[in-house]
Amino acid sequence: MNLEIDTRLVEAYRRDGFVHAPGLLSAAKIAEYGAAVDEAVARRKARDTRTLDEKTPYEQSFIQCQYIWEDFPEVRPLTFHPRVCGLAAALIGAPRLRLWHDQALYKEAGGRETEAHTDHPYWPIAGRDNTLTAWIPLQAVDLDVGCMGYVPGSQNDEAAFIDIFTAPGAGKALEARYADTPARFVPCAPGDVIFHHGHTVHMAKPNRSDRTRRVYTAIYFADGARRGGDRAHPSVDRDGIGDGGVIDGAATPLAWPLPDGRLPTPAPWPEMTGRRAQHAKLLGIVPDTAG
Ligand code: SIN
Ligand code: NI
């Protein structure tokens, strides 16, 4: 498939470490995909009846459902959308891309800010400049609802592991380092997509509105990348890819270009017996087909 790539988007991404692509998808299609993601989140979270107050600070930033392309086939055309994946490949300058994982990030009404962090240190993927996230709002997202902010140029810095999961406030220390180059916050309309580099410092505003901020994200990496380190992660552990191995299993299918133009088929999850894995399944963070 031939795609017209706007070189201004590529230049902005390389300079700033993020780029806002207005109207990359149609608002009508976003309404369709949004309904599919809503259904996935509702079904995954059916057993989690906690109120916002009862959740951990990290969970108060958003409801998180990962790998939803696998158990919700209606989501797949968005995960592997040629306009999203083709542009993502051009941004990182890779001929082929793989999916690392997707996720719904639904910030509930009254939800906490998303603290500043960088993504790549969370993933055992060797290299740099070879990962990026497509952040796809399923509705208009402004400062009140919880739009994203990005520190321009921060992709060139050494990325640190910021523990936003169990150390509330950790992101504030990172933000303080960038007092001279504050984050740029980016309101979006339905159909817009924002791409950010795996090393870019980013965060999101709290949701001060009375409605949920509905967002779908997909993380892609350059085909050929190897596992870097033994940090546990389903995207490599499921396929038994050890440190240094090429990441090319069924959990991380080719996203661009799609082989034969066909959407990938997910593989079953191996049995998961660990306490953390059971918890993730119970809370709907990962598919229920998981062992
Ligand atoms: C958010 O949507 O609030 C955070 C997204 C991200 O960290 O990539
Ligand atoms: Ni992030």
Side-chain angles (χ1 to χ4, degrees):
M1 163 159 205
N2 275 332
L3 277 183
E4 285 271 331
I5 299 292
D6 184 340
T7 53
R8 287 167 306 180
L9 298 180
V10 180
E11 281 160 22
Y13 176 85
R14 304 250 168 107
R15 182 186 64 233
D16 298 331
F18 72 95
V19 68
H20 177 201
L24 189 66
L25 304 172
S26 75
K29 275 291 183 194
I30 283 296
E32 222 175 87
Y33 300 138
V37 179
D38 287 349
E39 170 73 9
V41 172
R43 299 242 307 262
R44 286 276 199 91
K45 296 305 287 184
R47 286 181 293 192
D48 184 358
T49 54
R50 294 171 301 164
T51 63
L52 190 60
D53 286 349
E54 291 167 333
K55 297 183 178 178
T56 66
Y58 176 69
E59 291 174 300
Q60 287 173 0
S61 291
F62 40 65
I63 290 169
Q64 183 172 29
C65 299
Q66 304 183 317
Y67 304 95
I68 58 175
W69 73 273
E70 299 192 23
D71 47 344
F72 295 93
E74 292 78 14
V75 174
R76 273 175 224 166
L78 178 57
T79 323
F80 300 99
H81 198 291
R83 292 181 73 90
V84 174
C85 298
L87 178 54
L91 295 177
I92 61 171
R96 283 180 305 283
L97 279 192
R98 286 181 179 273
L99 177 71
W100 178 245
H101 69 78
D102 69 340
Q103 57 190 345
L105 295 175
Y106 277 30
K107 196 183 282 291
E108 295 171 83
R112 225 179 131 241
E113 70 186 304
T114 307
E115 287 200 43
H117 64 279
T118 49
D119 294 335
H120 198 144
Y122 301 147
W123 309 321
I125 303 174
R128 93 186 307 287
D129 304 322
N130 59 352
T131 65
L132 83 173
T133 296
W135 194 88
I136 309 173
L138 304 170
Q139 65 190 78
V141 175
D142 61 14
L143 288 166
D144 269 353
V145 179
C147 69
M148 291 285 284
Y150 305 87
V151 177
S154 56
Q155 79 279 9
N156 298 318
D157 297 340
E158 198 57 48
F161 181 96
I162 305 296
D163 182 5
I164 59 171
F165 313 104
T166 64
K172 288 290 161 204
L174 180 63
E175 247 184 281
R177 271 179 41 196
Y178 290 97
D180 293 341
T181 49
R184 270 190 229 149
F185 284 87
V186 187
C188 284
D192 296 3
V193 178
I194 310 175
F195 296 85
H196 68 264
H197 185 291
H199 283 226
T200 301
V201 175
H202 58 281
M203 64 215 74
K205 293 279 184 191
N207 185 350
R208 297 206 178 85
S209 79
D210 57 6
R211 57 197 193 280
T212 299
R213 184 210 72 174
R214 299 154 53 245
V215 167
Y216 179 73
T217 78
I219 300 145
Y220 307 98
F221 64 99
D223 183 37
R226 293 175 183 274
R227 182 170 186 157
D230 51 13
R231 161 178 296 285
H233 200 293
S235 294
V236 274
D237 295 340
R238 285 169 65 192
D239 289 311
I241 295 163
D243 193 9
V246 174
I247 308 172
D248 60 357
T252 54
L254 277 170
W256 179 262
L258 285 177
D260 304 323
R262 280 214 291 270
L263 291 170
T265 311
W269 283 57
E271 186 157 351
M272 303 196 310
T273 49
R275 215 171 55 90
R276 241 179 86 189
Q278 288 296 336
H279 184 73
K281 194 170 80 166
L282 190 73
L283 289 182
I285 298 168
V286 299
D288 205 5
T289 55

